Amino acid sequence: MISEYNELRKDKIIRVEENKKKFIINNKDLLLINHVKVDGYLITTGNRCDHLFEIISLKKVFYVELKGSDIKHALEQLLDTIIFCEKFHANFNKDCFIVCSRVPKETPRTQVLKVNLSKKGIKLKVSSNELVVNL
């Protein structure tokens, strides 16, 4: 396992919530998912996202940041977490999710960060208040 701060789950619905921001995984096939608390647990200093979810059988990992409205900072947190976890997820498909209070306009800096993710083959989805992923 990536960390002692993990929880193996096979729930039909897996939800994390913070300050009214919700990230939900609909796990209809009851796949085994490793939920890792990142911020303050796996990584205690520097930029880090809030959660990650490893779907082992699919060789897929979701990096999740629940944020107010600072998309630039959220992207930096996701990128730094991906770099930290590269040794664990080298052969995994990576998806990033930002759930924020509102989706602000893109700045040149956020566009550069998004391009950096895209060049690494990492998908990014940004949504306000709630984001649902179906497996």
Side-chain angles (χ1 to χ4, degrees):
M1 290 297 147
I2 191 172
S3 160
E4 69 257 24
Y5 304 107
N6 69 312
E7 178 182 10
L8 292 172
R9 301 182 65 178
K10 271 191 152 180
D11 309 42
K12 199 168 202 166
I13 297 173
I14 298 171
R15 169 194 311 251
V16 291
E17 188 172 344
E18 182 179 302
N19 297 323
K20 299 181 183 176
K21 316 300 177 295
K22 299 175 192 167
F23 178 78
I24 301 165
I25 299 173
N26 285 328
N27 184 16
K28 64 178 170 65
D29 294 330
L30 301 175
L31 300 172
L32 184 63
I33 297 176
N34 186 30
H35 171 212
V36 178
K37 291 181 182 179
V38 178
D39 188 4
Y41 295 92
L42 176 64
I43 305 172
T44 57
T45 60
N47 285 329
R48 65 248 184 216
C49 68
D50 293 316
H51 302 271
L52 68 82
F53 297 89
E54 298 170 318
I55 303 97
I56 309 297
S57 62
L58 300 177
K59 298 290 274 185
K60 185 178 271 279
V61 62
F62 296 157
Y63 297 92
V64 178
E65 177 60 27
L66 305 171
K67 199 67 168 168
S69 62
D70 190 349
I71 298 298
K72 175 184 165 278
H73 188 240
L75 286 166
E76 291 168 350
Q77 291 173 284
L78 290 166
L79 281 167
D80 286 353
T81 304
I82 290 166
I83 291 166
F84 180 90
C85 295
E86 186 56 36
K87 63 184 172 238
F88 304 106
H89 300 140
N91 297 318
F92 279 61
N93 290 319
K94 299 166 187 74
D95 292 343
C96 291
F97 301 94
I98 299 172
V99 184
C100 53
S101 53
R102 61 181 179 82
V103 179
K105 292 181 181 176
E106 284 194 13
T107 66
R109 177 69 180 139
T110 58
Q111 289 172 340
V112 167
L113 291 168
K114 283 184 173 183
V115 167
N116 288 344
L117 283 173
S118 180
K119 284 181 181 176
K120 295 178 184 198
I122 300 168
K123 297 175 189 167
L124 172 67
K125 173 108 172 123
V126 180
S127 183
S128 58
N129 297 319
E130 181 176 295
L131 200 150
V132 179
V133 176
N134 295 308
L135 293 181

